[in-house]
Amino acid sequence: MANSNYSAISPDPNEHDATSMSASTGSLRGRRRGRGKQDVGHHGQASWISSVINLANTILGAGLLAMPSALSKMGIFLGIFVIAWAGFTSAFGLYLQTRCARYIDRGHVSFAALSQLTYPNASVLFDAAIAIKCFGVAVSYLIIIGDLMPGVVVGFAPGAKDVAFLVDRQFWITAFMLIVIPLSFLRRLDSLKYTSVIALFSIAYLVILVVAHYIKGDTIASRGTVRVFQWAGPVSALAAFPVIVFAYTCHQNMFSILNEIANNSHFRTTTVIFASIGGACSLYILTGITGYLSYGDNIKGNIVSMYPAAAAATIGRFAMVILVMFSYPLQIHPCRASLDACAKWRPRRRSPSQESSPTRHSLVGHSVSKPRQEMSDMRFAIVTTILIVLSFITAMTVSSLSLVLAYVGSTGSTTISFILPGLFYYKISDPDSPHHQRLIKDEDDASEFAAGVEGGASREGNDNRDWRRGLLRNAALALAMYGVLVMVTCLSINIVFGASGH
């Protein structure tokens, strides 16, 4: 977790009297709660539930309605396993982000800050990948609005098809931009919690719609073969794999949540991850199974588009519009931060004696650069305006971004979800790093003081903690390697078998 006020800890590593230990322990606990003096302002005000809601809304999207089609390619048994596995690996990537955040001052955690600490000269590549990925997804949301709204209007008022502008996709993209523009200018992710609640109600309606049609059984006549243990073959299964993996991508907003959550203790942030990923996984499995059992192998990519023309299905399409509309600002938020980091990036040389955090000046014994400052109001407005205008122009001029999004998802999503969290934690938790040595010493001292143990028991506890840290570091490297494998697999699928996007 992100911590602050390291200056409250004595710089003398040999100072072990009870008074200094108590102060150190208290400081460490205070940092874990995120209540240091540096947190005054807009940081550390978000509640646990708003953090879960925003993260869950970032996860849940159009991928929910593609789960039945994915299960048709893999079979129910394998499909459920892949959905659960994708959720586990994504959750582990989020967990590694919370571990990395402990090395940066509270309120300043970002991919850019960690890049400066670990791979400073490659940080611009990381931020560019994040910006491109988020921008592409934001554009796809506007395209979905333009594609669905004419049908929604005609569904509610059949006579509207004779009115040209009501069935014009460009008109609806423009109209909905008037709603998303003010939301995109909000600085704090926590400010979007109410719109995220509305989006989650839309998700709930879509899930209920799919389950209700299955229970009602009005799709039996259109149902094809249902496979439980058999799959459609390795080619089809691999084509469905990226749909499931990319459906969990939310890592671009995790650092904002860590900066804003009021209680950033290890337990609270971990429960945010498990609640969000666990809830999404449950909905994916429920929708996937009931949707697949409704149509069998005759299922299409978007199950809502298959339901008979009726008010319920029309409302479902409108619910999807509401969902992507309120998800658009959740993509602009990290895209803006990454684009700003790219603009501020400058190559620098770093000697071994200058290996230090851009913010944790108290971890090492020499001066380093100041924390990254927030964007000024003018810069914030300019960057946001540029992103909105470019996304609007792109959505107005391009009717399909499926192929582009397939490649962006294959590279950007895997980079954000697996490769960066794994590489960052593997690098930053190097036992020889002065940052890591000082941080684990603070934790070990606090644990020993809290437990009241001495001598052999203390050494045994430290040995166990060292073993767990080593295991976690190796697991982080394995996640990064897994991310590279997923990237190669998904790119190969896109090249050989066509687009399959997020």
Side-chain angles (χ1 to χ4, degrees):
M1 277 58 65
N3 302 319
S4 60
N5 283 347
Y6 256 83
S7 58
I9 301 177
S10 170
D12 184 0
N14 297 318
E15 192 173 357
H16 289 288
D17 57 86
T19 302
S20 64
M21 182 70 73
S22 176
S24 177
T25 306
S27 176
L28 182 63
R29 289 172 178 168
R31 292 194 309 275
R32 284 176 174 171
R33 295 188 183 100
R35 296 173 181 170
K37 294 181 180 179
Q38 295 182 22
D39 300 335
V40 176
H42 69 274
H43 300 299
Q45 303 298 319
S47 65
W48 180 88
I49 187 65
S50 71
S51 300
V52 172
I53 288 172
N54 281 324
L55 192 60
N57 189 31
T58 308
I59 298 171
L60 296 166
L64 175 75
L65 302 180
M67 288 299 156
S69 178
L71 259 64
S72 71
K73 305 297 191 298
M74 297 183 173
I76 294 178
F77 183 79
L78 179 61
I80 292 175
F81 173 79
V82 174
I83 290 174
W85 169 254
F88 169 77
T89 52
S90 292
F92 184 55
L94 292 170
Y95 176 75
L96 290 180
Q97 287 183 255
T98 68
R99 301 284 295 187
C100 290
R102 300 179 307 158
Y103 296 85
I104 307 294
D105 281 341
R106 179 72 185 276
H108 299 279
V109 187
S110 65
F111 281 106
L114 281 171
S115 298
Q116 291 298 319
L117 184 61
T118 52
Y119 308 98
N121 288 327
S123 62
V124 66
L125 299 178
F126 300 152
D127 282 301
I130 296 170
I132 292 172
K133 188 269 176 187
C134 295
F135 179 81
V137 175
V139 170
S140 73
Y141 288 160
L142 297 180
I143 291 176
I144 290 174
I145 292 174
D147 291 343
L148 290 182
M149 275 308 298
V152 170
V153 173
V154 172
F156 285 125
K161 62 182 179 181
D162 297 327
V163 182
F165 74 90
L166 291 179
V167 292
D168 182 11
R169 61 180 300 273
Q170 294 184 339
F171 167 78
W172 288 111
I173 292 175
T174 305
F176 276 84
M177 286 300 294
L178 300 178
I179 302 176
V180 301
I181 286 175
L183 299 176
S184 300
F185 276 89
L186 296 174
R187 277 187 177 268
R188 293 175 55 202
L189 199 66
D190 183 52
S191 301
L192 298 170
K193 59 186 175 185
Y194 298 113
T195 57
S196 293
V197 169
I198 298 175
L200 290 182
F201 273 114
S202 300
I203 283 287
Y205 178 83
L206 291 169
V207 172
I208 293 173
L209 179 67
V210 174
V211 174
H213 274 286
Y214 166 69
I215 295 175
K216 187 178 180 181
D218 58 352
T219 61
I220 297 297
S222 304
R223 186 169 69 180
T225 304
V226 174
R227 285 191 294 265
V228 179
F229 296 101
Q230 295 181 337
W231 63 352
V235 172
S236 297
L238 283 174
F241 180 69
V243 175
I244 298 177
V245 173
F246 300 155
Y248 286 99
T249 303
C250 62
H251 302 65
Q252 64 271 20
N253 281 330
M254 188 62 199
F255 286 137
S256 294
I257 288 173
L258 292 175
N259 286 333
E260 297 179 11
I261 190 170
N263 181 354
N264 71 328
S265 66
H266 179 271
F267 174 78
R268 296 289 282 183
T269 54
T270 302
T271 55
V272 168
I273 295 171
F274 280 110
S276 304
I277 294 290
C281 181
S282 300
L283 292 179
Y284 286 157
I285 292 176
L286 176 62
T287 306
I289 292 177
T290 55
Y292 177 50
L293 291 178
S294 296
Y295 286 99
D297 287 344
N298 292 332
I299 192 75
K300 295 181 181 178
N302 186 341
I303 188 172
V304 173
S305 64
M306 299 186 64
Y307 291 134
T314 301
I315 294 174
R317 295 184 182 95
F318 184 65
M320 176 57 66
V321 170
I322 296 298
L323 172 64
V324 299
M325 176 183 69
F326 287 139
S327 297
Y328 176 88
L330 293 176
Q331 299 297 328
I332 293 296
H333 186 88
C335 184
R336 176 175 51 227
S338 295
L339 193 63
D340 179 64
C342 289
K344 293 179 179 178
W345 178 83
R346 298 292 184 275
R348 68 184 182 93
R349 300 174 61 183
R350 190 176 74 171
S351 64
S353 62
Q354 293 176 324
E355 184 185 348
S356 54
S357 165
T359 57
R360 283 208 182 280
H361 55 275
S362 52
L363 281 177
V364 291
H366 50 79
S367 174
V368 294
S369 59
K370 296 181 179 180
R372 180 182 296 272
Q373 299 296 319
E374 289 189 353
M375 279 185 278
S376 64
D377 291 340
M378 179 62 70
R379 188 181 184 92
F380 181 90
I382 292 174
V383 175
T384 305
T385 301
I386 291 174
L387 288 175
I388 291 174
V389 171
L390 288 179
S391 63
F392 173 71
I393 293 174
T394 306
M396 292 285 281
T397 55
V398 180
S399 60
S400 176
L401 282 181
S402 58
L403 185 60
V404 175
L405 289 179
Y407 286 101
V408 169
S410 300
T411 55
S413 292
T414 51
T415 300
I416 297 171
S417 303
F418 309 125
I419 298 177
L420 289 187
L423 288 181
F424 281 158
Y425 186 77
Y426 183 79
K427 176 72 172 181
I428 206 170
S429 63
D430 186 346
D432 295 329
S433 168
H435 321 297
H436 184 67
Q437 289 175 357
R438 185 54 187 269
L439 187 62
I440 65 174
K441 183 186 184 307
D442 293 332
E443 292 180 341
D444 290 343
D445 288 349
S447 299
E448 291 173 16
F449 180 82
V453 296
E454 296 180 355
S458 174
R459 287 191 295 272
E460 182 179 355
N462 287 339
D463 290 341
N464 290 334
R465 283 188 291 272
D466 289 341
W467 180 83
R468 289 195 298 268
R469 289 167 183 144
L471 180 62
L472 183 62
R473 186 166 186 259
N474 291 332
L477 180 61
L479 182 70
M481 296 173 64
Y482 169 76
V484 174
L485 178 62
V486 171
M487 179 184 293
V488 172
T489 301
C490 294
L491 285 175
S492 300
I493 292 170
N494 292 331
I495 294 172
V496 179
F497 306 118
S500 178
H502 175 36

